[in-house]
Amino acid sequence: MNATTQMNDAILQVDHLSMKFGGLVAIGDLSFTARRGEITALIGPNGAGKTTVFNCITGFYKPSEGMITLNRADGSTYLLERLPNHEIPARAKVARTFQNIRLFSGMTLLENLLVAQHNKLMKASGYTVLGLFGFSGYRKASAESMELARHWLEKADLVDRADDPAGDLPYGAQRRLEIARAMCTGPELLCLDEPAAGLNPKESAALNDLLMDIKHNTGTSILLIEHDMSVVMQISDHVVVLEYGRKISDGNPQSVRTDPRVIAAYLGVDDEEVETVLTEVGDEDVIEQLDIGPDAAHGPGTSSSYLAGPVTDTVGHSDGERVTVSKGASKAAQVDARANSPRKPSERATAKPTGKSSTAKPRGGRK
Amino acid sequence: MAVTVSRESDSVATPTQRALKEAFYAGAIALGLFVLFIGLKTGQNMSNELVLTQRWGLLAAVVIATAVGRFLYVAYGQPFMANQKIANVATGLLPASVGSRFFTLPAFIVAVVAAVLLFLFNSSLAGWVGAEPAGYLQFLRALAVIYLLACVIYYFRAFIHANFTKLGITALVLYPILVVAVLSLNAWSIAGGLQGSLKWVDNFGIQILIYVMLAWGLNIVVGLAGLLDLGYVAFYALGAYAYALLATQYGLSFWILLPAAGCMAALWGVLLGFPVLRLRGDYLAIVTLAFGEIIRLVLINWREVTNGSAGISGIPKVSFFGLMTFNVSDPNYIAKVLHIATSSAYYKIFLYYLILGLCLLTAFVTIRLRRLPVGRAWEALREDEIACRSLGINTTTTKLTAFATGAMFGGFAGSFFAARQGFVSPESFVFLESAIILAIVVLGGMGSLVGIAVAAMVMIGGTEALRELDFLKQIFGPDFTPELYRMLLFGMAMVIVMLWKPRGFVGSREPTAFLKERRAVSSSFTKEGHG
Ligand SMILES: Nc1ncnc2c1ncn2[C@@H]1O[C@H](COP(=O)(O)OP(=O)(O)O)[C@@H](O)[C@H]1O
Ligand SMILES: [Mg+2]
């Protein structure tokens, strides 16, 4: 692949992105590319910094270093780290969902989708002035927005409940509504933060259908954080794996799932056990282990985020535990080290996640 | 009160025994609570010494009243309410509701007869039975009228519920006419009717409507956008002083200054909003509170302009769109133009319709804005600010528009207030006013126009009605001033409403758009906002 086609191909390009919270390096020198029209998955153990990457892309955090470039289909290019928070969806056409669902729970489903079309409708209503006097241009735009909302309600299989409050929906429907709401902003890049977390298998399948539909029928590219390996392997075209804020693998799902560094990062096991583990990928067992965060030794877990602004502290991320990237922490790094040098028994001992059963507590959105 | 009886004795004790026991406990608790509050009173004597008055009689009365009340409630009230829920075995029907037993036709006829008789012989009553019993008879008449109104409301409740807005507006429009008509009939002269209507139109009508308008204005900020503003009275003050100063200094007309005062208040709303809106929750509340106090202190201390705490007097009256005036000395005084008797009631009635018009404008704009993208964005902001930003909504400008719109209506109300009083001073714009307006918004149900209007009517009308309870002096002695208890009433009403309906009179939310049918959103899903 030559350089020029790659430029046009890439909708999102993350270059040397770093994000530090005080002493904690949540993302360290991360570079990856998401291609247009594809589903790119961002995976990694809890606390790897996936949500932080999303928050940097969508402007909720200002990255400490690095460049995030977004290429829109019309050829315009935006440097996301320089845009104000609310202009990223409005101008660069990046929409997102949240790990802990954020709907307008007291508003109806329809209203949720109408709020998503705010900027378009605001313009049509002449910044309220024309709309206040009931101009016909606004009425037409308003009818169109209702149509778009109905379209996405149908796609999300929620049209029967259009006039119910969003807070009244079951979990899976809320996830789909959040995606429908994001799609109503007319995005070119859709960022989904753990959309399948907490869903039952049926809801999970409905979600997959919705995502495939979006991919095939709208031309919207998707960036996906996912824990559920079966979802990742089924629908994604490209997988980026993070561990402790660093990229440890990047490629198509097949190559990633056989990458020993990924397996080690996820499971903390020896090469000999890889065979058996591979067959378990997607099993409940594995998922349970994924929920266990980095061992307590690496997470001092002292103060919460005093550096974060008054709003950012409510953006969903794993609990405030701090994990410093030390040499011994990364299991992927240990795989590298072992590949280069003869194995020492003492090192192997530290490689085992110490807190698997006792000290570690379940984290993240999975309940 | 806590249930003080254990389970075993519960099953043995008859209701009367249980009631006696509970009454005893209630009396004991009341004694403990009130022994210092009521039993002893400190005061000063002539030589400025502290004296302790003992009021054991009053204390005993309160304690006995509490015990008896508890006894009646446990012995009769509770079984009665339990019975209301038990269906008759034979017919399978629930017993007739309390309402239909209370509002019966014979009682209705008796009340009509009593009210009519008492109205007819109103003037001669005092001669027949003496002044004091006549006061009680007038109270009885008021009770009969209230009963009649309640009957009508009870039997037409379904209709009233369905057409509440239309009926409410009609009633408000007809109110001054009805008052004048009834009082004219009562006094057998139009002039007497006009004179008597002053109190009802001004003290009740205008006063309540001013608060309705203020509360509806604040509702945009607190109820819709979810921004807790404790300094709303500042915008009211800005509007009032803008009108007072510009009208007295430059002689500009009310009709020019009304929009000007609104714009001025809105501008200040934006100026205040800019630095403040990045704060959230408690911080925002405290800073707005401070803003309200700053404005008041500036009004007090900037003597050259505002005349300090002496205030500004001689504020010109509103004219009838420049066609007629309400000053007796003017050549185009309304009575001279229309060739009718001179009366000060015309101006009050005109002001009533003016503030009614302003209220309806506020309601219309609020309803309209809610269905526009900006109004939806306000409510979305109340629900979840972060989600709003992820959808490309500029939260700063959205909050600013909410602040400015609310402030604008506060400014309108302020300039109306100045024109009505003819006098403004910083004393009218203390924090308590902000608190009352906010209390009305919360009691009414945040975001609901109807609920807020009802709350304003109950709270402001209720405190005004306390002034009418002069006959209570006969019970509690001549020193008793019922007005002083209005804050107690306010507090009690708040506690009762918040226990009975935690989200206010109208807790549910009306959706702004619908696909198939409009269904109110239950209050359990909406959020109050914390920005
Ligand atoms: N606002 C913040 N302040 C301090 N630390 C944060 C903040 N946001 C995230 N972190 C830390 O960054 C790390 C990565 O978190 P996150 O991106 O939520 O992980 P995940 O991959 O599970 O989504 C975690 O250790 C988390 O505690
Ligand atoms: Mg996360």
Side-chain angles (χ1 to χ4, degrees), chain B residues 441-462:
Chain B
V441 174
V442 173
L443 280 181
M446 295 209 272
S448 152
L449 295 182
V450 171
I452 290 171
V454 171
M457 215 169 285
V458 170
M459 300 314 295
I460 306 301

Side-chain angles (χ1 to χ4, degrees), chain B residues 442-516:
Chain B
V442 173
L443 280 181
M446 295 209 272
S448 152
L449 295 182
V450 171
I452 290 171
V454 171
M457 215 169 285
V458 170
M459 300 314 295
I460 306 301
T463 55
E464 289 295 320
L466 282 179
R467 292 183 212 278
E468 305 298 315
L469 300 181
D470 271 347
F471 72 94
L472 288 176
K473 284 199 169 119
Q474 289 159 5
I475 304 172
F476 294 103
D479 291 345
F480 184 77
T481 36
E483 294 98 288
L484 293 184
Y485 289 82
R486 68 177 208 283
M487 281 301 132
L488 187 68
L489 182 96
F490 230 103
M492 242 153 64
M494 295 272 288
V495 172
I496 291 170
V497 172
M498 289 294 118
L499 285 176
W500 166 60
K501 286 202 152 183
R503 287 305 188 97
F505 289 141
V506 182
S508 61
R509 175 182 170 273
E510 192 73 4
T512 60
F514 61 98
L515 221 50
K516 293 193 191 74

Side-chain angles (χ1 to χ4, degrees), chain A residues 21-22 24-27 44-53 55 61 99 193-194 225 227 242 304-308 312-313 315-323 363-364:
Chain A
F21 295 111
L24 166 77
V25 183
I27 313 171
N46 257 322
K50 307 179 296 295
T51 301
T52 309
V53 173
N55 284 338
Y61 295 163
Q99 185 169 353
D193 197 343
E194 303 206 14
I225 292 180
H227 261 342
L242 286 187
S304 61
S305 53
Y306 57 86
L307 273 173
T312 45
D313 59 357
V315 174
H317 58 78
S318 322
D319 39 343
E321 194 169 320
R322 290 180 162 236
V323 185
R363 314 165 62 189

